[in-house]
C-alpha cells in the first residue's frame, strides 16, 4: 500500500455495550476515550450500537418463526383454498 494514499491503521477497541462485548481491531478511526485492554495497554474505544454479538444474523443463532400462525392468518384473509 502507498503510505500517502491510505490512512494509517491503528489498534482500537470496538465495544458493543448492550451485548457486553468488546473486541480489539485495527481501523483508521480513533477516539479520545480510552480503556485498558487484556494485554495491559490503553486503547481508544469506539462504542457501537449493533455488532455481530447483538445480531443473530452474523453469529449463527436463528429465531423461531411462527409459520403455522402465518398460514392461518393468510387463510383467514384470503379464504381457505381447496387443496
Amino acid at each position: 500500500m502507498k503510505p500517502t494514499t491510505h490512512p494509517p491503521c491503528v489498534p482500537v477497541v470496538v465495544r458493543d455495550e448492550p451485548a457486553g462485548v468488546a473486541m480489539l481491531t485495527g481501523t483508521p478511526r480513533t477516539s479520545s476515550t480510552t480503556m485498558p485492554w487484556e494485554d495491559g495497554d490503553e486503547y481508544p474505544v469506539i462504542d457501537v450500537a449493533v455488532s455481530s454479538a447483538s445480531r443473530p444474523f452474523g453469529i449463527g443463532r436463528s429465531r423461531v418463526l411462527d409459520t403455522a400462525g402465518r398460514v392461518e392468518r393468510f387463510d383467514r384473509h384470503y379464504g381457505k383454498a381447496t387443496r
Side-chain angles (χ1 to χ4, degrees):
M1 291 192 288
K2 295 180 181 179
T4 57
T5 306
H6 301 283
C9 190
V10 294
V12 172
V13 175
V14 177
R15 180 173 55 188
D16 182 3
E17 283 190 296
V21 176
M23 57 198 96
L24 183 64
T25 185
T27 180
R29 219 175 134 197
T30 187
S31 172
S32 59
T33 28
T34 61
M35 73 175 277
W37 188 244
E38 298 164 352
D39 61 1
D41 291 338
E42 292 267 333
Y43 293 103
V45 178
I46 297 175
D47 290 320
V48 294
V50 177
S51 72
S52 61
S54 58
R55 287 209 41 136
F57 177 75
I59 57 174
R61 282 188 266 166
S62 62
R63 296 180 183 160
V64 176
L65 297 176
D66 182 21
T67 55
R70 290 181 179 202
V71 171
E72 291 167 1
R73 192 172 350 137
F74 179 85
D75 288 341
R76 264 195 327 261
H77 188 268
Y78 294 105
K80 189 153 183 117
T82 58
R83 295 178 193 172

